[in-house]
Amino acid sequence: MEQKKKDLRKVKWEDLQAWLKQVGEPAFRAKQIREWLWQKSAWSIQDMTNLSKSLREKLEAEFEIRPVTVHTAQYSADGTIKSGFKLYDGHLVEGVLIPTDTRMTACISSQVGCSLTCKFCATGYMNRERNLDAAEIYDQVILIKNQAEERYSQPLTNIVYMGMGEPLLNYAAVLESVERITSPEGLNWSPKRITVSTAGIAKMIKKLGDDGVKFNLALSLHAANDEKRNTIMPINESNSLKNLSEALQYFYKKTGNKITLEYIVFHGFNDKIADAKELLEFVKRVPSKVNIIEYNPISEANFVNADPEAIDKFAKYLEDNRVTVNIRRSRGKDIDAACGQLAIKEN
């Protein structure tokens, strides 16, 4: 029976050094291998051309790299690209390149499916199959970066963990992937260009504060009233708005980073001035800005986007009360690539 090879990108630094010593190779080779994996994004051991042929053969005998590949790609009329990414075990996740006049944003996934069952989100109607590892998250960034450069001759400027899954339920791998992307020994990105979005896991938000993260945090709020939020986001039943505001205050105190509150406006549900007043009270407790998001319909739910006039009134009320507000228009809706629409429809 053939022995299964180890995933080279999961081998600990000290274990790699010990292995090199065992096979008679100098310790500095470990640094070269790490550079190939995380700076140069090599997905084949044979690509590591400054390693001797004999060392590459030794590596290939015991290790493998398991790259993510583009399984499908769909192109929106507005320039958005949605990709189905295939993992080494056959699972699929989706990621999106969102081009605008001022930025090129990669929206990436952290889990295969999701366990949180938010009623307005297509991914919430899937089962959670497994977490992604740090390398699988990193690979999505590289593949979307390549798309931006090849199709638009533009560099990737921003990364949002807003695809499939709840990032804070895959905490260790998400933070490791951010480290690989931001480290000088990785892609050397500024963490200020990265946003991690959560449905609201209070204890993990506090842990982000304790860990002193530098990236931006966004909360998918969508209602500033526990009864309404429970209806659309069952996670709120165990993470009430009071607990979330305390966790976000703690996060801000530890990191100094303002939070982005994401608020989808549903027709007849959370689009009235009374709802805006509740949101204003929440904002007063949490140093934050508000992104108002158009709803993108999905076949599994009956929600409808609020009228443009209602959205504008909602935003004006907040602005008149000195809240920083951005109305985020949907992109990629025609290929189900917009916010809340990601779900694998094929295998």
Side-chain angles (χ1 to χ4, degrees):
M1 183 176 170
E2 187 181 344
Q3 188 177 5
K4 192 175 179 183
K5 294 181 181 180
K6 295 175 189 167
D7 183 344
L8 184 56
R9 293 191 291 187
K10 286 186 177 176
V11 177
K12 292 179 182 175
W13 174 249
E14 57 271 21
D15 292 341
L16 180 58
Q17 289 179 309
W19 179 84
L20 286 164
K21 184 178 180 181
Q22 182 186 325
V23 297
E25 294 285 346
F28 74 84
R29 294 294 188 196
K31 184 172 184 291
Q32 291 177 317
I33 292 167
R34 181 172 62 187
E35 286 173 354
W36 278 109
L37 293 177
W38 303 113
Q39 282 184 351
K40 301 175 184 176
S41 310
W43 287 340
S44 162
I45 289 168
Q46 285 304 320
D47 288 341
M48 301 179 181
T49 49
N50 62 350
L51 305 184
S52 68
K53 187 170 183 246
S54 66
L55 175 53
R56 280 180 274 161
E57 287 172 354
K58 290 174 193 173
L59 282 166
E60 283 193 323
E62 289 206 34
F63 304 103
E64 63 182 355
I65 301 171
R66 299 170 182 169
V68 174
T69 57
V70 177
H71 180 63
T72 57
Q74 292 175 268
Y75 301 87
S76 168
D78 65 23
T80 300
I81 304 174
K82 180 175 79 168
S83 298
F85 295 124
K86 192 165 196 173
L87 312 182
Y88 78 96
D89 58 2
H91 281 305
L92 298 172
V93 295
E94 291 185 336
V96 184
L97 171 64
I98 307 162
T100 68
D101 292 341
T102 56
R103 55 177 60 185
M104 287 274 162
T105 301
C107 176
I108 58 175
S109 295
S110 57
Q111 295 181 311
V112 181
C114 188
S115 60
L116 293 192
T117 67
C118 296
K119 303 305 179 191
F120 51 86
C121 176
T123 314
Y125 290 85
M126 301 173 66
N127 293 324
R128 187 194 71 83
E129 299 295 339
R130 69 170 176 86
N131 288 337
L132 300 190
D133 64 35
E136 290 169 329
I137 298 171
Y138 168 97
D139 281 1
Q140 292 174 74
V141 173
I142 297 301
L143 290 167
I144 296 174
K145 169 182 168 290
N146 293 346
Q147 289 174 335
E149 291 169 356
E150 289 164 11
R151 193 166 183 88
Y152 296 105
S153 301
Q154 296 287 331
L156 200 62
T157 62
N158 297 80
I159 300 167
V160 293
Y161 287 66
M162 293 184 188
M164 298 168 65
E166 166 52 57
L168 299 192
L169 293 180
N170 187 16
Y171 190 92
V174 164
L175 260 63
E176 185 188 340
S177 69
V178 171
E179 170 64 19
R180 298 298 186 189
I181 293 163
T182 59
S183 167
E185 295 166 344
L187 300 181
N188 202 25
W189 267 53
S190 166
K192 293 299 177 190
R193 294 161 62 195
I194 298 173
T195 300
V196 173
S197 177
T198 176
I201 319 289
K203 68 178 182 180
M204 304 312 289
I205 291 170
K206 286 184 175 180
K207 183 164 172 52
L208 288 174
D210 288 334
D211 288 340
V213 300
K214 306 293 186 192
F215 54 74
N216 303 304
L217 180 65
L219 172 69
S220 294
L221 185 63
H222 313 315
N225 167 308
D226 276 316
E227 187 179 347
K228 283 189 176 182
R229 198 164 189 268
N230 289 348
T231 303
I232 58 172
M233 301 180 73
I235 187 65
N236 194 71
E237 293 170 14
S238 54
N239 291 265
S240 69
L241 290 169
K242 180 176 182 293
N243 289 342
L244 284 176
S245 67
E246 288 171 358
L248 292 169
Q249 287 166 9
Y250 183 88
F251 173 86
Y252 178 75
K253 184 179 176 183
K254 290 281 189 175
T255 66
N257 287 356
K258 278 190 173 183
I259 293 92
T260 299
L261 301 176
E262 297 167 327
Y263 193 100
I264 296 174
V265 192
F266 303 104
H267 175 71
F269 178 76
N270 65 349
D271 59 346
K272 304 292 187 289
I273 295 301
D275 300 298
K277 287 178 180 176
E278 289 175 340
L279 178 54
L280 176 61
E281 290 307 307
F282 190 85
V283 169
K284 286 177 181 176
R285 301 199 296 274
V286 177
S288 55
K289 62 180 180 179
V290 174
N291 275 354
I292 293 176
I293 303 169
E294 292 180 335
Y295 180 62
N296 305 299
I298 59 171
S299 58
E300 297 87 347
N302 296 318
F303 296 105
V304 177
N305 190 34
D307 296 330
E309 191 178 306
I311 293 174
D312 290 341
K313 282 182 180 176
F314 193 101
K316 186 174 186 308
Y317 176 84
L318 296 173
E319 287 169 341
D320 287 347
N321 284 277
R322 293 182 294 183
V323 177
T324 301
V325 179
N326 174 44
I327 299 177
R328 217 169 78 198
R329 304 298 180 188
S330 293
R331 297 181 66 85
K333 199 180 288 192
D334 56 328
I335 56 169
D336 291 337
C339 184
Q341 291 185 317
L342 298 189
I344 297 298
K345 293 184 169 64
E346 61 161 310
N347 288 308

